[in-house]
PDB file of all heavy atoms in Angstrom:
ATOM      1  N   VAL A 966      10.803   3.303  12.928  1.00 95.00           N
ATOM      2  CA  VAL A 966      11.414   2.069  12.430  1.00 95.00           C
ATOM      3  C   VAL A 966      11.075   1.843  10.958  1.00 95.00           C
ATOM      4  O   VAL A 966      11.966   1.548  10.149  1.00 95.00           O
ATOM      5  CB  VAL A 966      10.977   0.855  13.282  1.00 95.00           C
ATOM      6  CG1 VAL A 966      11.421  -0.448  12.651  1.00 95.00           C
ATOM      7  CG2 VAL A 966      11.530   0.980  14.690  1.00 95.00           C
ATOM      8  N   ILE A 967       9.811   2.003  10.584  1.00 93.00           N
ATOM      9  CA  ILE A 967       9.427   1.666   9.214  1.00 93.00           C
ATOM     10  C   ILE A 967       9.829   2.729   8.197  1.00 93.00           C
ATOM     11  O   ILE A 967      10.023   2.404   7.023  1.00 93.00           O
ATOM     12  CB  ILE A 967       7.924   1.344   9.098  1.00 93.00           C
ATOM     13  CG1 ILE A 967       7.058   2.547   9.429  1.00 93.00           C
ATOM     14  CG2 ILE A 967       7.563   0.150   9.945  1.00 93.00           C
ATOM     15  CD1 ILE A 967       5.555   2.310   9.248  1.00 93.00           C
ATOM     16  N   THR A 968       9.989   3.989   8.630  1.00 93.00           N
ATOM     17  CA  THR A 968      10.381   5.039   7.677  1.00 93.00           C
ATOM     18  C   THR A 968      11.859   5.392   7.758  1.00 93.00           C
ATOM     19  O   THR A 968      12.381   6.045   6.868  1.00 93.00           O
ATOM     20  CB  THR A 968       9.581   6.332   7.917  1.00 93.00           C
ATOM     21  OG1 THR A 968       9.930   6.876   9.191  1.00 93.00           O
ATOM     22  CG2 THR A 968       8.096   6.095   7.825  1.00 93.00           C
ATOM     23  N   ARG A 969      12.511   5.006   8.847  1.00 93.00           N
ATOM     24  CA  ARG A 969      13.912   5.350   9.109  1.00 93.00           C
ATOM     25  C   ARG A 969      14.110   6.871   9.150  1.00 93.00           C
ATOM     26  O   ARG A 969      15.139   7.391   8.756  1.00 93.00           O
ATOM     27  CB  ARG A 969      14.846   4.690   8.097  1.00 93.00           C
ATOM     28  CG  ARG A 969      14.872   3.190   8.207  1.00 93.00           C
ATOM     29  CD  ARG A 969      15.909   2.575   7.325  1.00 93.00           C
ATOM     30  NE  ARG A 969      15.754   2.933   5.927  1.00 93.00           N
ATOM     31  CZ  ARG A 969      15.162   2.193   5.003  1.00 93.00           C
ATOM     32  NH1 ARG A 969      14.677   1.037   5.331  1.00 93.00           N
ATOM     33  NH2 ARG A 969      15.075   2.596   3.755  1.00 93.00           N
ATOM     34  N   GLN A 970      13.080   7.574   9.632  1.00 93.00           N
ATOM     35  CA  GLN A 970      13.150   9.023   9.799  1.00 93.00           C
ATOM     36  C   GLN A 970      13.090   9.352  11.282  1.00 93.00           C
ATOM     37  O   GLN A 970      12.634   8.546  12.093  1.00 93.00           O
ATOM     38  CB  GLN A 970      11.962   9.700   9.110  1.00 93.00           C
ATOM     39  CG  GLN A 970      11.959   9.551   7.619  1.00 93.00           C
ATOM     40  CD  GLN A 970      10.776  10.286   7.014  1.00 93.00           C
ATOM     41  OE1 GLN A 970      10.167  11.148   7.641  1.00 93.00           O
ATOM     42  NE2 GLN A 970      10.433   9.944   5.794  1.00 93.00           N
ATOM     43  N   ASP A 971      13.542  10.532  11.623  1.00 93.00           N
ATOM     44  CA  ASP A 971      13.432  11.007  12.997  1.00 93.00           C
ATOM     45  C   ASP A 971      11.958  11.195  13.316  1.00 93.00           C
ATOM     46  O   ASP A 971      11.193  11.703  12.492  1.00 93.00           O
ATOM     47  CB  ASP A 971      14.182  12.338  13.149  1.00 93.00           C
ATOM     48  CG  ASP A 971      14.281  12.776  14.586  1.00 93.00           C
ATOM     49  OD1 ASP A 971      13.246  13.210  15.141  1.00 93.00           O
ATOM     50  OD2 ASP A 971      15.376  12.671  15.159  1.00 93.00           O
ATOM     51  N   ARG A 972      11.539  10.797  14.518  1.00 91.00           N
ATOM     52  CA  ARG A 972      10.122  10.862  14.863  1.00 91.00           C
ATOM     53  C   ARG A 972       9.599  12.292  14.976  1.00 91.00           C
ATOM     54  O   ARG A 972       8.392  12.499  15.048  1.00 91.00           O
ATOM     55  CB  ARG A 972       9.785  10.041  16.096  1.00 91.00           C
ATOM     56  CG  ARG A 972      10.612  10.264  17.307  1.00 91.00           C
ATOM     57  CD  ARG A 972      10.214   9.353  18.457  1.00 91.00           C
ATOM     58  NE  ARG A 972      10.857   8.049  18.370  1.00 91.00           N
ATOM     59  CZ  ARG A 972      10.649   7.062  19.197  1.00 91.00           C
ATOM     60  NH1 ARG A 972       9.817   7.202  20.206  1.00 91.00           N
ATOM     61  NH2 ARG A 972      11.252   5.921  19.047  1.00 91.00           N
ATOM     62  N   ARG A 973      10.485  13.272  14.997  1.00 93.00           N
ATOM     63  CA  ARG A 973      10.023  14.667  14.992  1.00 93.00           C
ATOM     64  C   ARG A 973       9.582  15.110  13.604  1.00 93.00           C
ATOM     65  O   ARG A 973       8.955  16.153  13.456  1.00 93.00           O
ATOM     66  CB  ARG A 973      11.127  15.582  15.508  1.00 93.00           C
ATOM     67  CG  ARG A 973      11.459  15.347  16.977  1.00 93.00           C
ATOM     68  CD  ARG A 973      12.624  16.177  17.411  1.00 93.00           C
ATOM     69  NE  ARG A 973      13.826  15.646  16.760  1.00 93.00           N
ATOM     70  CZ  ARG A 973      15.050  16.119  16.911  1.00 93.00           C
ATOM     71  NH1 ARG A 973      15.257  17.162  17.684  1.00 93.00           N
ATOM     72  NH2 ARG A 973      16.074  15.576  16.302  1.00 93.00           N
ATOM     73  N   ASP A 974       9.896  14.305  12.573  1.00 94.00           N
ATOM     74  CA  ASP A 974       9.566  14.671  11.199  1.00 94.00           C
ATOM     75  C   ASP A 974       8.141  14.315  10.791  1.00 94.00           C
ATOM     76  O   ASP A 974       7.673  14.738   9.737  1.00 94.00           O
ATOM     77  CB  ASP A 974      10.536  14.004  10.227  1.00 94.00           C
ATOM     78  CG  ASP A 974      11.954  14.530  10.372  1.00 94.00           C
ATOM     79  OD1 ASP A 974      12.124  15.646  10.908  1.00 94.00           O
ATOM     80  OD2 ASP A 974      12.893  13.822   9.963  1.00 94.00           O
ATOM     81  N   PHE A 975       7.435  13.510  11.581  1.00 94.00           N
ATOM     82  CA  PHE A 975       6.082  13.109  11.218  1.00 94.00           C
ATOM     83  C   PHE A 975       5.192  13.145  12.459  1.00 94.00           C
ATOM     84  O   PHE A 975       5.684  13.217  13.581  1.00 94.00           O
ATOM     85  CB  PHE A 975       6.059  11.703  10.589  1.00 94.00           C
ATOM     86  CG  PHE A 975       6.742  10.656  11.421  1.00 94.00           C
ATOM     87  CD1 PHE A 975       6.080  10.004  12.448  1.00 94.00           C
ATOM     88  CD2 PHE A 975       8.066  10.308  11.171  1.00 94.00           C
ATOM     89  CE1 PHE A 975       6.709   9.042  13.208  1.00 94.00           C
ATOM     90  CE2 PHE A 975       8.706   9.351  11.930  1.00 94.00           C
ATOM     91  CZ  PHE A 975       8.024   8.713  12.952  1.00 94.00           C
ATOM     92  N   THR A 976       3.895  13.100  12.224  1.00 93.00           N
ATOM     93  CA  THR A 976       2.949  13.118  13.342  1.00 93.00           C
ATOM     94  C   THR A 976       2.457  11.704  13.624  1.00 93.00           C
ATOM     95  O   THR A 976       2.523  10.819  12.763  1.00 93.00           O
ATOM     96  CB  THR A 976       1.733  14.011  13.025  1.00 93.00           C
ATOM     97  OG1 THR A 976       0.997  13.407  11.946  1.00 93.00           O
ATOM     98  CG2 THR A 976       2.152  15.422  12.666  1.00 93.00           C
ATOM     99  N   ALA A 977       1.932  11.523  14.819  1.00 94.00           N
ATOM    100  CA  ALA A 977       1.357  10.229  15.181  1.00 94.00           C
ATOM    101  C   ALA A 977       0.137   9.933  14.303  1.00 94.00           C
ATOM    102  O   ALA A 977      -0.120   8.784  13.955  1.00 94.00           O
ATOM    103  CB  ALA A 977       0.975  10.220  16.655  1.00 94.00           C
ATOM    104  N   ALA A 978      -0.586  10.980  13.932  1.00 93.00           N
ATOM    105  CA  ALA A 978      -1.775  10.791  13.096  1.00 93.00           C
ATOM    106  C   ALA A 978      -1.419  10.237  11.723  1.00 93.00           C
ATOM    107  O   ALA A 978      -2.136   9.387  11.184  1.00 93.00           O
ATOM    108  CB  ALA A 978      -2.531  12.107  12.958  1.00 93.00           C
ATOM    109  N   GLU A 979      -0.314  10.687  11.133  1.00 94.00           N
ATOM    110  CA  GLU A 979       0.112  10.175   9.828  1.00 94.00           C
ATOM    111  C   GLU A 979       0.395   8.682   9.893  1.00 94.00           C
ATOM    112  O   GLU A 979      -0.036   7.904   9.036  1.00 94.00           O
ATOM    113  CB  GLU A 979       1.379  10.895   9.355  1.00 94.00           C
ATOM    114  CG  GLU A 979       1.186  12.327   8.946  1.00 94.00           C
ATOM    115  CD  GLU A 979       2.508  12.978   8.572  1.00 94.00           C
ATOM    116  OE1 GLU A 979       3.383  13.118   9.446  1.00 94.00           O
ATOM    117  OE2 GLU A 979       2.656  13.319   7.376  1.00 94.00           O
ATOM    118  N   VAL A 980       1.115   8.271  10.921  1.00 95.00           N
ATOM    119  CA  VAL A 980       1.480   6.860  11.063  1.00 95.00           C
ATOM    120  C   VAL A 980       0.247   6.034  11.408  1.00 95.00           C
ATOM    121  O   VAL A 980       0.045   4.942  10.862  1.00 95.00           O
ATOM    122  CB  VAL A 980       2.589   6.682  12.122  1.00 95.00           C
ATOM    123  CG1 VAL A 980       2.945   5.220  12.293  1.00 95.00           C
ATOM    124  CG2 VAL A 980       3.821   7.472  11.735  1.00 95.00           C
ATOM    125  N   THR A 981      -0.596   6.553  12.287  1.00 94.00           N
ATOM    126  CA  THR A 981      -1.818   5.835  12.665  1.00 94.00           C
ATOM    127  C   THR A 981      -2.695   5.598  11.446  1.00 94.00           C
ATOM    128  O   THR A 981      -3.210   4.494  11.244  1.00 94.00           O
ATOM    129  CB  THR A 981      -2.601   6.628  13.732  1.00 94.00           C
ATOM    130  OG1 THR A 981      -1.767   6.791  14.883  1.00 94.00           O
ATOM    131  CG2 THR A 981      -3.872   5.913  14.125  1.00 94.00           C
ATOM    132  N   ARG A 982      -2.858   6.615  10.623  1.00 94.00           N
ATOM    133  CA  ARG A 982      -3.670   6.489   9.417  1.00 94.00           C
ATOM    134  C   ARG A 982      -3.132   5.387   8.508  1.00 94.00           C
ATOM    135  O   ARG A 982      -3.882   4.540   8.004  1.00 94.00           O
ATOM    136  CB  ARG A 982      -3.700   7.841   8.687  1.00 94.00           C
ATOM    137  CG  ARG A 982      -4.690   7.950   7.588  1.00 94.00           C
ATOM    138  CD  ARG A 982      -4.871   9.366   7.050  1.00 94.00           C
ATOM    139  NE  ARG A 982      -3.712  10.243   7.141  1.00 94.00           N
ATOM    140  CZ  ARG A 982      -3.596  11.250   8.009  1.00 94.00           C
ATOM    141  NH1 ARG A 982      -4.547  11.488   8.877  1.00 94.00           N
ATOM    142  NH2 ARG A 982      -2.517  12.010   8.011  1.00 94.00           N
ATOM    143  N   ALA A 983      -1.814   5.332   8.334  1.00 94.00           N
ATOM    144  CA  ALA A 983      -1.203   4.302   7.484  1.00 94.00           C
ATOM    145  C   ALA A 983      -1.371   2.915   8.096  1.00 94.00           C
ATOM    146  O   ALA A 983      -1.696   1.948   7.391  1.00 94.00           O
ATOM    147  CB  ALA A 983       0.273   4.619   7.274  1.00 94.00           C
ATOM    148  N   LEU A 984      -1.170   2.796   9.408  1.00 95.00           N
ATOM    149  CA  LEU A 984      -1.260   1.490  10.054  1.00 95.00           C
ATOM    150  C   LEU A 984      -2.693   0.953  10.055  1.00 95.00           C
ATOM    151  O   LEU A 984      -2.910  -0.248   9.882  1.00 95.00           O
ATOM    152  CB  LEU A 984      -0.716   1.572  11.480  1.00 95.00           C
ATOM    153  CG  LEU A 984       0.800   1.824  11.588  1.00 95.00           C
ATOM    154  CD1 LEU A 984       1.195   2.083  13.035  1.00 95.00           C
ATOM    155  CD2 LEU A 984       1.579   0.656  11.020  1.00 95.00           C
ATOM    156  N   VAL A 985      -3.673   1.832  10.216  1.00 95.00           N
ATOM    157  CA  VAL A 985      -5.075   1.404  10.160  1.00 95.00           C
ATOM    158  C   VAL A 985      -5.409   0.914   8.757  1.00 95.00           C
ATOM    159  O   VAL A 985      -6.077  -0.113   8.584  1.00 95.00           O
ATOM    160  CB  VAL A 985      -6.017   2.550  10.602  1.00 95.00           C
ATOM    161  CG1 VAL A 985      -7.462   2.248  10.257  1.00 95.00           C
ATOM    162  CG2 VAL A 985      -5.873   2.784  12.090  1.00 95.00           C
TER     163      VAL A 985
END
Side-chain angles (χ1 to χ4, degrees):
V966 171
I967 64 176
T968 66
R969 294 187 303 262
Q970 294 182 18
D971 189 287
R972 51 182 85 183
R973 294 175 290 180
D974 293 339
F975 53 84
T976 66
E979 289 177 296
V980 179
T981 300
R982 191 170 29 253
L984 292 172
V985 167

